[in-house]
Amino acid sequence: YPNPFNGTTHANFDVDVKDGETAQLTIYNIKGQVVKTYSNIIPGNHKFMWNGKDSNNNRCAAGIYFYKLSSPTFSSTKKMMYLK
């Protein structure tokens, strides 16, 4: 949330990781290329914010992005829209 979001806001992710597991949150562009990764998320509740920039701190293009949360026992992929 919010979805869509723009350069003046952030996409917020609430992540809940089970005890004994680690998770990864990955953001992909429409071409399937990895834009940003949050790795080794430890058990518990966490909040992440994505500001529309890639791992090199470059602003991403406006468009559709996918985010995937994965752990050993869970995987979920959803869509979001980034507007400029």
Side-chain angles (χ1 to χ4, degrees), residues 4-79:
F5 76 103
N6 61 34
T8 61
T9 61
H10 295 89
N12 298 290
F13 304 94
D14 293 325
V15 175
D16 187 20
V17 181
K18 288 186 198 179
D19 286 336
E21 294 188 356
T22 59
Q24 179 171 295
L25 177 64
T26 308
I27 300 171
Y28 300 90
N29 63 19
I30 194 76
K31 296 178 183 178
Q33 299 165 321
V34 174
V35 173
K36 183 88 172 183
T37 301
Y38 302 92
S39 298
N40 299 318
I41 305 170
I42 60 174
N45 296 312
H46 307 279
K47 292 185 184 287
F48 293 94
M49 292 189 307
W50 182 51
N51 59 0
K53 294 184 180 179
D54 65 14
S55 295
N56 297 318
N57 209 31
N58 297 315
R59 186 165 297 275
C60 295
I64 296 173
Y65 289 83
F66 298 92
Y67 57 99
K68 179 179 181 181
L69 177 64
S70 58
S71 72
T73 61
F74 179 82
S75 181
S76 177
T77 304
K78 296 187 179 179
K79 180 172 62 171

